[in-house]
Amino acid sequence: PSNSIPGYAAGPAGAPAVIMVQEWWGVTDQIAEHAGRVAKKGFRVLVPDLYKGKVGVDAEEASHMMSNLDFAAAVEEITHAAKYLKSEGSRKVGITGFCMGGALSLGGAAAS
């Protein structure tokens, strides 16, 4: 999606947008499927990959990755994702997340 933050995007650029924040596992197939379902409703969906391609294979690894995540930097990346979506033409940008992503969604909304 942006030149500096990896992620998954679905739906037409310029449509009302949703930032979907991963749970502690990372950007899994399940998160991509959720994004696809929302995109089919006419939204542009962006899932920033806060783990930069890593996916937890068990709870211990996922917990370790979440514990090592710089939450302030993640919120900054989410804010950058909103700016990116607006630069594509989305006039409105919402945010949702799952588990860890729910907490980051609150941080991202407060920072925007």
Side-chain angles (χ1 to χ4, degrees):
S2 88
N3 293 335
S4 61
I5 302 170
Y8 174 81
V18 177
I19 299 168
M20 187 174 288
V21 187
Q22 70 196 48
E23 53 190 342
W24 74 338
W25 300 104
V27 179
T28 61
D29 290 342
Q30 182 180 25
I31 296 296
E33 289 170 14
H34 288 314
R37 278 191 229 124
V38 173
K40 285 181 182 176
K41 300 289 183 183
F43 293 92
R44 175 70 163 165
V45 183
L46 180 60
V47 183
D49 188 348
L50 304 176
Y51 292 162
K52 313 300 183 274
K54 296 178 184 170
V55 176
V57 295
D58 58 35
E60 183 178 347
E61 183 178 15
S63 176
H64 179 72
M65 290 189 307
M66 183 181 75
S67 295
N68 288 322
L69 181 66
D70 181 340
F71 274 69
V75 168
E76 188 175 320
E77 290 180 10
I78 291 166
T79 302
H80 182 76
K83 290 176 185 173
Y84 173 79
L85 289 164
K86 287 183 177 183
S87 77
E88 284 191 322
S90 296
R91 293 178 59 185
K92 294 185 179 186
V93 178
I95 187 167
T96 190
F98 304 93
C99 191
M100 174 191 82
L104 286 167
S105 293
L106 295 173
S112 292

